[in-house]
Amino acid sequence: MTSTGSSRRTFIAGAGAGAVTGAGALSAGVATAPAAAAAPSAAAPAPPAGRRVAVLGGGVAGLTAAHELAERGYAVTVYERRALGGKARSMDVPGSARGGRRPLPAEHGFRFIPGIYHNLPDTMRRIPFPGNANGVWDNLVAPREMMFARAGGREDLRGPIPWPDHSPAELTPDELRRALTGILQTLVRLPLHETAYFVDRVLVFLTSCDERRNEVWERTPWWDFVRAARMSSEYQRILAVGITRNIVATKAEEASTRTVGTLGEAFVFNVLGRGADGPPDRILNLPTNEAWIDPWEAHLRSLGVEFRIGWTVREVQYGNGRVSGVSVEGPDGARQTVTADHYVSAMPVEHARRTWSAGLRAADPMLGRCDQLQTDWMTGIQFYLTERAPLVHGHLNCIDSPWSLTAIQQAEHWPARNFPADYGDGTAVDCLSVDISEWDKPGILYGKTAKQCTREEVAREVWAQLKASLNDTGKTLLSDSKLHSWFLDPGVDGLGTPHPTNQDELLIHPVGTLHNRPSAGTRVPNFFLSGDYVAVDIDLATMEGANASARAAVNSLLDRDGSRAERCTVRPMYRAPELESARRHDLWRHRLGLRNIFDLG
């Protein structure tokens, strides 16, 4: 997600020097030494004879697979090229600690764990955390409000997050229409006829049968589905571009209506109090590694999981109808082949597909279709402030920003930490974490895209876009004098050159791509896929999708292995029972070639 700011021609010298002691320090990735393997705890179950599993990748998908397998007595080794947690991890800002304090916390992008998630929260409940009855899950907190920040002097749209008291008695189409109209008129303030039209489009999707969703809406761009070209610029910015670019990180003109609509449907039910694990907006009450990833690693080590950090997977080898081994490159640059009984590929699709050998691809054509899956850039930058800025108690979406910025101030949500006393040099009191979702449109300072800018120019441009959205109604909420330093994700490199690179791209969902997503089980009997690109119920690049796919991969492995162990629960997205009759009616209409009953064109 991302946020925007006001136009400016100067950048505070300390921050420009900056990114904590200099932008140059940011261009190098965070080096991670190989972790020493801890001895399994006495309580760890003995692995079945000869049942060793190599998990390739240590992000949310890989750690989930390792967790489920270890609980079932498998001997698991995780190979991770960089650091555990993948895109979900937090990291230290190099050289930022002073006087015995912790380094300033940074991240690839701020964490967002909505109540529509069920599989990931289940895992979090099973990760012990000192003092928490429900483990890491108890570290989730709910921001009180959210805001659409507008540029050009227009009033920002701020609204409370209605949880848990806003719940209609019954989700009939009429009740849904009233609830959605009320929410949109409160938060978005569109012309009444545009609000009514958008609500009708939502009802079309909510009552569409699965066949219509998969065959028609999967091939319809969201922009066309909501008739954005006919509507006001406000409608286009908020309900077309805002939903797709800022949340799904894809373009409204290309994004599959099935993907956008499925996500929107889940959030509608969540806001209305249905099928939810918790509030619609939840974040962690500490930096991600402190609240979640480090306790997870410790728990997995206690179950006997071994980690090989700094090891890069180069090729998954195939022979005699099976994966015969995996070529890996160690921290010293030397290559070797590792073997196991089963292999779970848990890397992001853009990295995983480069490791699949020709023989492996020939054995399962589904792997080749993954080449058609697309990724894009969505990357975070953090601004550390010497004074708290009075912005909003939750997420803000700078919907007029050219780079589609969303952001959140983090210190107020970390009550167990005293930011100036615990972090950095003792002068930074807050971290404004910003996600940049659009890297290919010109900014307001230099007229260049984010990819064309240097790292320092990116920081200046984002800061300017933030101020353009937040300082435009007579109040100076962000000022240069409050800016301590900044940190841009080191996974982005080569900015300002002809060949910028990003180690952590995000899967996007243009029309028609659903049918290229693979299943967790492959035709190769000892090879399984896990990651947010794998076909699971949540059709979106999310930590929930990564977690659910890992569970599906483990279930497939257990089936192939003839295991009697209990299968992982893979909980589907919530379906409102009141709408099932409408969906059955729509199935009949769809097979007759008729529109949905609410689809008036």
Side-chain angles (χ1 to χ4, degrees):
M1 306 201 156
T2 48
S3 36
T4 57
S6 78
S7 175
R8 59 186 280 277
R9 300 299 168 189
T10 61
F11 199 63
I12 179 172
V20 191
T21 76
L26 298 175
S27 61
V30 178
T32 307
S41 70
R51 289 307 169 194
R52 299 166 299 129
V53 183
V55 175
L56 313 178
V60 171
L63 294 178
T64 301
H67 193 158
E68 300 292 347
L69 288 164
E71 286 189 341
R72 289 158 178 79
Y74 283 80
V76 181
T77 303
V78 176
Y79 296 87
E80 166 56 42
R81 67 188 174 94
R82 191 170 48 183
L84 297 179
K87 289 190 286 288
R89 77 192 188 285
S90 57
M91 63 194 88
D92 296 337
V93 177
S96 62
R98 299 285 188 278
R101 299 178 185 85
R102 299 167 181 260
L104 289 170
E107 56 202 351
H108 165 74
F110 55 75
R111 303 274 60 74
F112 171 53
I113 305 174
I116 67 172
Y117 291 2
H118 289 280
N119 296 292
L120 183 70
D122 173 70
T123 296
M124 298 177 83
R125 287 183 176 93
R126 289 154 45 204
I127 302 170
F129 192 90
N132 287 0
N134 298 297
V136 162
W137 185 86
D138 282 341
N139 290 338
L140 294 174
V141 294
R144 292 179 286 160
E145 58 182 349
M146 52 83 68
M147 181 171 73
F148 291 114
R150 305 306 312 263
R154 285 173 286 184
E155 188 64 33
D156 297 333
L157 308 177
R158 182 192 301 257
I161 298 176
W163 181 268
D165 299 323
H166 186 65
S167 179
E170 190 176 8
L171 291 182
T172 63
D174 284 344
E175 181 60 43
L176 281 167
R177 188 190 305 275
R178 285 194 292 271
L180 290 171
T181 300
I183 292 169
L184 288 176
Q185 288 180 352
T186 300
L187 296 181
V188 182
R189 306 174 196 169
L190 293 172
L192 289 179
H193 73 279
E194 292 191 348
T195 298
Y197 186 80
F198 184 79
V199 169
D200 280 341
R201 301 310 292 166
V202 172
L203 287 176
V204 168
F205 189 85
L206 292 179
T207 57
S208 287
C209 64
D210 291 338
E211 282 189 15
R212 190 185 299 276
R213 293 183 183 200
N214 294 340
E215 296 171 8
V216 179
W217 303 141
E218 169 62 18
R219 302 187 184 281
T220 303
W222 178 252
W223 181 271
D224 295 345
F225 179 77
V226 298
R227 309 293 194 269
R230 307 178 187 177
M231 303 298 181
S232 66
S233 59
E234 195 88 346
Y235 180 103
Q236 294 172 356
R237 291 294 303 161
I238 298 174
L239 299 179
V241 175
I243 289 176
T244 57
R245 194 67 202 171
N246 297 148
I247 299 176
V248 193
T250 190
K251 297 177 174 63
E253 296 85 352
E254 302 173 0
S256 155
T257 291
R258 182 191 184 280
T259 294
V260 179
T262 299
L263 177 71
E265 176 182 53
F267 275 109
V268 166
F269 292 150
N270 194 174
V271 169
L272 297 179
R274 293 298 192 90
D277 180 78
D281 189 1
R282 295 184 299 188
I283 58 178
L284 291 164
N285 63 1
L286 288 167
T288 308
N289 276 30
E290 293 184 46
W292 176 23
I293 302 301
D294 291 345
W296 201 1
E297 176 187 358
H299 181 57
L300 295 184
R301 287 187 183 277
S302 77
L303 294 176
V305 175
E306 297 185 359
F307 294 96
R308 300 289 182 265
I309 302 174
W311 294 70
T312 301
V313 176
R314 293 302 182 189
E315 184 180 52
V316 180
Q317 300 164 346
Y318 178 81
N320 298 320
R322 302 172 63 83
V323 171
S324 56
V326 176
S327 173
V328 298
E329 184 177 298
D332 60 358
R335 288 204 183 191
Q336 61 178 278
T337 298
V338 299
T339 59
D341 298 292
H342 302 282
Y343 303 83
V344 178
S345 177
M347 296 179 286
V349 66
E350 69 273 19
H351 297 296
R353 60 193 176 197
R354 292 199 293 261
T355 71
W356 299 338
S357 62
L360 188 68
R361 286 168 170 265
D364 192 341
M366 175 182 71
L367 300 176
R369 292 200 300 274
C370 291
D371 292 339
Q372 300 178 54
L373 297 175
Q374 299 178 40
T375 58
D376 202 349
W377 290 33
M378 186 178 186
T379 303
I381 182 172
Q382 287 77 54
F383 294 96
Y384 304 95
L385 308 178
T386 57
E387 294 181 30
R388 295 274 179 93
L391 303 182
V392 63
H393 301 292
H395 291 99
L396 65 92
N397 184 334
C398 298
I399 58 175
D400 294 323
S401 57
W403 289 1
S404 296
L405 305 178
T406 51
I408 188 168
Q409 290 172 274
Q410 296 184 312
E412 70 173 285
H413 303 292
W414 295 342
R417 290 280 176 255
N418 183 318
F419 211 95
D422 290 349
Y423 295 105
D425 61 7
T427 62
V429 303
D430 206 350
C431 173
L432 179 61
S433 187
V434 184
D435 281 355
I436 308 167
S437 293
E438 174 58 74
W439 286 76
D440 295 307
K441 287 185 178 179
I444 63 176
L445 279 186
Y446 303 105
K448 297 191 292 187
T449 70
K451 292 177 183 176
Q452 293 170 335
C453 291
T454 64
R455 297 180 74 84
E456 183 171 328
E457 287 172 342
V458 167
R460 292 184 178 187
E461 180 71 56
V462 172
W463 185 251
Q465 291 186 30
L466 286 168
K467 292 196 299 180
S469 288
L470 297 168
N471 292 355
D472 61 324
T473 56
K475 295 182 180 179
T476 302
L477 302 182
L478 290 180
S479 66
D480 291 353
S481 63
K482 296 179 181 179
L483 183 56
H484 173 276
S485 54
W486 53 267
F487 182 86
L488 177 62
D489 183 355
V492 174
D493 199 8
L495 293 177
T497 75
H499 304 290
T501 60
N502 188 343
Q503 295 187 55
D504 300 293
E505 296 191 20
L506 188 72
L507 183 74
I508 60 172
H509 309 271
V511 293
T513 55
L514 172 71
H515 307 293
N516 295 321
R517 300 181 69 160
S519 61
T522 74
R523 294 185 183 181
V524 180
N526 64 339
F527 185 61
F528 309 90
L529 303 179
S530 173
D532 60 13
Y533 67 98
V534 174
V536 291
D537 203 48
I538 185 167
D539 175 28
L540 192 67
T542 58
M543 295 183 293
E544 174 77 350
N547 184 278
S549 71
R551 293 165 178 247
V554 170
N555 285 346
S556 183
L557 187 154
L558 296 174
D559 291 344
R560 298 274 178 85
D561 207 28
S563 171
R564 296 182 180 180
E566 182 179 1
R567 296 317 190 246
C568 308
T569 299
V570 185
R571 185 164 172 177
M573 301 282 283
Y574 176 74
R575 293 175 70 109
E578 298 95 328
L579 297 180
E580 289 304 313
S581 61
R583 288 183 172 185
R584 288 192 296 270
H585 180 69
D586 188 60
L587 177 60
W588 173 77
R589 292 181 63 88
H590 175 63
R591 290 180 175 177
L592 290 177
L594 301 174
R595 289 181 174 183
N596 178 280
I597 195 169
F598 292 102
D599 193 348
L600 304 178

